[in-house]
């Protein structure tokens, strides 16, 4: 995900955080809907938990996920980035 330009933070947890510039709740819901359409179950957290204009997605990889599952997830995030024309640079270096 980092290679696609996403900010995944610096945390060390079983939960993978993915910070995305969503702008507003409508865009955040578009991202969630698109990822779910692509078969990726994801939850999102918005302001006031994270700074305004950013949505925090949470992924929970487990030992039961296959390499194909991981590849599918990465591909889906690339598709969403491209289709929704996300400007990932705005959170790429944010201190989150």
């Amino acid at each position: 995900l980092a290679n696609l330009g996403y900010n995944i933070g610096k945390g060390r947890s079983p939960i993978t955080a993915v910070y995305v510039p969503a702008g507003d709740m409508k865009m955040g819901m578009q991202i969630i809907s698109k990822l779910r359409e692509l078969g990726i179950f994801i939850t999102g957290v918005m302001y006031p938990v994270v700074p305004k204009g950013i949505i925090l997605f949470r992924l929970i990889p487990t030992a039961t996920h296959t390499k194909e599952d991981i590849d599918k997830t990465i591909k889906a995030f690339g598709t969403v980035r491209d289709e929704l024309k996300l400007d990932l640079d705005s959170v790429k270096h944010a201190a989150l």
Side-chain angles (χ1 to χ4, degrees):
L1 290 170
N3 288 341
L4 291 175
Y6 286 96
N7 181 337
I8 58 171
K10 294 180 169 79
R12 294 187 181 264
S13 164
I15 298 171
T16 300
V18 183
Y19 299 93
V20 178
D24 58 25
M25 186 178 285
K26 182 179 176 184
M27 176 58 85
M29 293 310 297
Q30 262 187 294
I31 295 168
I32 290 171
S33 293
K34 184 65 179 170
L35 285 167
R36 288 184 178 178
E37 285 172 17
L38 295 170
I40 309 304
F41 181 78
I42 195 155
T43 60
V45 179
M46 298 180 198
Y47 178 82
V49 177
V50 295
K52 280 187 180 182
I54 295 175
I55 184 169
L56 161 62
F57 293 108
R58 294 177 177 169
L59 297 170
I60 305 173
T62 68
T64 62
H65 286 104
T66 64
K67 179 172 178 355
E68 290 78 21
D69 294 329
I70 294 166
D71 291 343
K72 177 181 175 180
T73 300
I74 291 169
K75 182 178 179 184
F77 270 87
T79 298
V80 167
R81 177 199 63 197
D82 297 343
E83 287 184 8
L84 298 179
K85 298 179 182 9
L86 299 176
D87 175 17
L88 299 177
D89 286 334
S90 61
V91 294
K92 192 172 187 178
H93 303 291
L96 299 168

